[in-house]
Amino acid sequence: MPEPILQIQALDAHYGDFQALYGVDMEVSEGEVLAIIGSNGAGKTTLMRSITGLLSNGPSQIKYRSEDISGLRADEVAMRGLAMVPEGRQLFPSLSVRENLMIGAQVGRKGPWTLDEVYKLFPILDERKDQQSTSLSGGQQQMVAIGRALMANPDLILFDEISLGLAPIIIKDIYDALPGIIGEGMSAIIVEQDISKALSVSSRVYCLQEGRVSLEGASDTVSREDISRAYFGIE
Ligand SMILES: Nc1ncnc2c1ncn2[C@@H]1O[C@H](COP(=O)(O)OP(=O)(O)O)[C@@H](O)[C@H]1O
Ligand SMILES: [Mg+2]
């Protein structure tokens, strides 16, 4: 087994009095693509935000390359090599495409990803680089969000709702780009509503249900019944 790059142990998360995650255990191996599925409100985004330091967590709950990163700030987590493509993209509306991409480079990590490489991956962004990000289609904005994460040259990239709300042709473009993104040993966590897509790109899958892991399995062997049970909680 390759070394785990990320280990999550008994992770809880709260919003005030409301508990959104209960004792989540999860592991991502070096170079692995992990899929996370689960219905609306299951806690997927909360998990992504906990990993990336946007939500606080208790001690020793999250280890990255065997070091405890629980409690680190988001910028400290980013400097260690984790980057997220957030749900809803969260671009800076007043900035151009190029300026949004450069935000990712502020982390200051060296690696293969530069503006030129991002433009090679998504040529449309080169054509639109001087436009405000809000003038782009949803799919193009998602490309900017992906490019921004890549500019941080992460070792582990998290995609929260990678294709939600995008046109099928754009979803295809984004999935076609994935091998080129993950190809050189980057690890990834992909939150995806489309279960077939989630299974086809990942080696393992976790399902969350009401803040708990309801299923963990190999993507090529997990059964449809197991997934339905884990997803909807029906027997
Ligand atoms: N900022 C917040 N304040 C209070 N509750 C929240 C907040 N964000 C999410 N929640 C609640 O936490 C639970 C998990 O939400 P979320 O992680 O966004 O789920 P998912 O991404 O799987 O749809 C939901 O019940 C949601 O209503
Ligand atoms: Mg979400």
Side-chain angles (χ1 to χ4, degrees):
M1 273 298 276
E3 280 292 293
I5 187 166
L6 185 75
Q7 282 172 297
I8 300 173
Q9 256 181 346
L11 177 69
D12 294 338
H14 302 264
Y15 297 104
D17 290 341
F18 177 76
Q19 185 161 1
L21 293 179
Y22 296 85
V24 170
D25 295 326
M26 191 170 283
E27 212 168 272
V28 184
S29 300
E30 191 85 54
E32 176 173 41
V33 179
L34 187 79
I36 297 181
I37 59 173
S39 58
N40 233 333
K44 305 179 298 295
T45 295
T46 302
L47 176 60
M48 297 300 105
R49 292 171 58 82
S50 299
I51 295 170
T52 50
L54 293 166
L55 265 181
S56 63
N57 27 252
S60 307
Q61 294 188 322
I62 306 177
K63 286 191 181 138
Y64 181 70
R65 297 195 186 287
S66 304
E67 283 180 51
D68 189 5
I69 61 164
S70 335
L72 292 189
R73 291 193 316 263
D75 58 317
E76 296 170 325
V77 172
M79 275 191 278
R80 305 250 175 152
L82 282 89
M84 173 155 68
V85 181
E87 185 174 3
R89 305 180 272 279
Q90 297 175 20
L91 302 179
F92 289 93
S94 62
L95 298 185
S96 69
V97 166
R98 194 183 140 282
E99 288 165 334
N100 268 288
L101 291 172
M102 287 310 293
I103 298 274
Q106 283 179 3
V107 170
R109 284 173 55 88
K110 298 237 175 316
W113 291 101
T114 57
L115 274 181
D116 281 347
E117 289 304 314
V118 170
Y119 293 151
K120 260 190 237 163
L121 184 69
F122 298 125
I124 188 75
L125 300 187
D126 196 8
E127 289 171 34
R128 303 278 160 94
K129 63 184 168 220
D130 296 318
Q131 294 183 19
Q132 262 182 281
S133 59
T134 42
S135 70
L136 271 57
S137 72
Q140 291 162 359
Q141 291 186 28
Q142 181 70 325
M143 292 172 186
V144 177
I146 293 172
R148 179 182 57 188
L150 292 174
M151 291 291 285
N153 278 297
D155 296 327
L156 174 60
I157 186 165
L158 286 64
F159 299 91
D160 192 1
E161 303 291 4
I162 189 168
S163 63
L164 184 65
L166 303 182
I169 185 153
I170 297 285
I171 295 177
K172 183 177 181 306
D173 283 351
I174 285 175
Y175 271 96
D176 286 349
L178 265 190
I181 294 172
I182 299 161
E184 299 191 17
M186 202 187 285
S187 314
I189 299 178
I190 297 182
V191 174
E192 170 61 270
Q193 300 272 331
D194 180 333
I195 293 173
S196 305
K197 276 239 152 55
L199 295 177
S200 70
V201 297
S202 61
S203 55
R204 284 186 311 127
V205 59
Y206 284 79
C207 185
L208 288 182
Q209 191 197 321
E210 294 180 6
R212 293 179 168 86
V213 174
S214 55
L215 173 83
E216 177 201 344
S219 303
D220 55 357
T221 58
V222 70
S223 76
R224 288 279 148 174
E225 291 83 39
D226 289 343
I227 288 182
S228 306
R229 206 177 300 121
Y231 205 93
F232 302 109
I234 46 173
E235 288 301 315

